[in-house]
Amino acid sequence: MLRLGTVGTGWITQQLVEAAAMSGRFELAGVYSRSVEKAQAFARKNQAEQAVTDYQELLDLKGLDVVYLASPNSLHFNQALKAIRQNITVIVEKPAFSNPQEMAAIMAALADHPQAKLFEAARNVHTPNFHAVARALSGLPAVQGASLTYMKYSSRYDQVLDGGEPNVFTREFSGGALQDLGVYPVYLAVALFGVPAQVNYFPTLIQTGVDGKGVAVLRYGTYDVTVNFGKTSNSVAPSEIYGLKETVEMDSAGELTQVGLRQDGQKLTDLSAQPLVNPMLPEVQDFARVLEDPVAETNVADYHRWLLWSQQVNQVLYGLRVAGNLRFPADDHE
């Protein structure tokens, strides 16, 4: 069993812990929160061995194999770096890091500590439906672009409208729509089409100084991928990949709960797998597989592909921020 520690006590951490339990390959060694009450309550609920309020104490737990980071975005870098330097594998919520400088430092630390690994929790590209989309894409006679949408109203935006500044909507914590829901369609684009030759971003700024929603254009030379995302409104628009007479359809670039192929405008052929009991289960199973047998050829190839995607997505997100004139305090740190 892999011994897991968690940072954060929100719903996403709860979902990860439940997925880890479903996999049967993790045991919850410890829970960290700055609030002792939250740490203890989360630990009781999930039968964790210990609840701590000091991050170093979490890393020092006996036999800790993996730490999961669901802290505010700007905290990921230092927390991940400390773990890697103790040869502890990191699963970090998306976006992994604020900029390419942080990513480069993490890659250097991984090179110095080969026992540790880094996994970015971009759940959509680990699902069976993502693989179904990739297979459908490979069968298209030509690709003429895509339109990817993921837009969900955030309850935290209510706080912004009331004059507050929740972490997810602040520059201090590297927040905003691109750094949250926007990561999913960008991941999908990079995983399916590669790194774009050119990017542009048209953000809609909110009163906290970050983007509440926006439209990105990823240029691939012969075609464009348009990405539409946001946290200040809802969209039910599907996502599509365009062939010639064929269209690969997805209900959402972030969730990928329903996917299909439509040929020449005819009836949609459903390519969807069975609904997931927990949307994080496929990624948790993937990460555990690699950690349990890190030298197997397939596992080595998968891990390096996921790590490359993480670096490429980091590069694209930063390029989009530069294009949209969005800067974070994390960009000024060496």
Side-chain angles (χ1 to χ4, degrees), residues 161-283:
L161 294 177
D162 288 337
E165 292 194 3
N167 293 347
V168 73
F169 282 118
T170 63
R171 293 175 61 255
E172 177 186 359
F173 289 106
S174 301
L178 174 62
Q179 296 291 109
D180 190 353
L181 298 189
V183 179
Y184 290 109
V186 169
Y187 240 103
L188 195 62
V190 167
L192 293 175
F193 308 112
V195 178
Q198 181 183 349
V199 301
N200 210 344
Y201 183 40
F202 306 94
T204 300
L205 300 183
I206 60 175
Q207 61 202 59
T208 59
V210 301
D211 52 331
K213 59 190 292 291
V215 176
V217 179
L218 313 181
R219 309 218 75 172
Y220 284 90
T222 59
Y223 59 86
D224 294 338
V225 174
T226 302
V227 186
N228 186 28
F229 50 86
K231 294 173 65 64
T232 61
S233 57
N234 291 310
S235 174
V236 296
S239 295
E240 300 177 324
I241 300 171
Y242 310 112
L244 296 177
K245 297 180 180 180
E246 311 83 10
T247 307
V248 181
E249 300 184 15
M250 300 156 276
D251 61 337
S252 161
E255 305 297 337
L256 293 181
T257 52
Q258 291 183 309
V259 299
L261 177 65
R262 195 182 302 273
Q263 299 190 19
D264 203 13
Q266 300 301 309
K267 183 178 179 181
L268 182 73
T269 300
D270 189 8
L271 304 177
S272 308
Q274 291 295 317
L276 295 169
V277 177
N278 183 313
M280 299 182 82
L281 183 58
E283 65 180 337

Side-chain angles (χ1 to χ4, degrees), residues 6-127:
T6 61
V7 174
T9 56
W11 69 269
I12 193 69
T13 309
Q14 183 62 43
Q15 192 170 73
L16 182 282
V17 167
E18 290 174 1
M22 288 176 192
S23 76
R25 294 147 98 171
F26 292 86
E27 58 184 2
L28 189 55
V31 172
Y32 162 78
S33 174
R34 290 175 298 175
S35 163
V36 63
E37 293 82 7
K38 289 182 178 179
Q40 291 175 345
F42 194 91
R44 283 194 302 270
K45 180 178 180 179
N46 296 286
Q47 295 80 52
E49 294 176 14
Q50 294 193 49
V52 300
T53 55
D54 182 270
Y55 180 59
Q56 187 60 54
E57 188 176 351
L58 178 72
L59 297 182
D60 290 339
L61 291 178
K62 183 179 179 180
L64 190 71
D65 297 299
V66 184
V67 63
Y68 168 71
L69 305 179
S71 48
N73 297 339
S74 63
L75 304 184
H76 291 174
F77 172 67
N78 284 327
Q79 290 174 341
L81 193 60
K82 285 184 179 181
I84 291 167
R85 286 175 173 169
Q86 288 190 218
N87 297 310
I88 296 169
T89 286
V90 174
I91 300 173
V92 58
E93 263 306 322
K94 54 77 202 160
F97 308 111
S98 297
N99 52 55
Q101 292 76 20
E102 291 184 350
M103 178 62 78
I106 291 294
M107 293 303 297
L110 289 170
D112 290 339
H113 300 272
Q115 183 179 331
K117 295 193 181 323
L118 175 76
F119 300 102
E120 187 170 10
R123 64 180 184 270
N124 59 338
V125 295
H126 291 271
T127 62

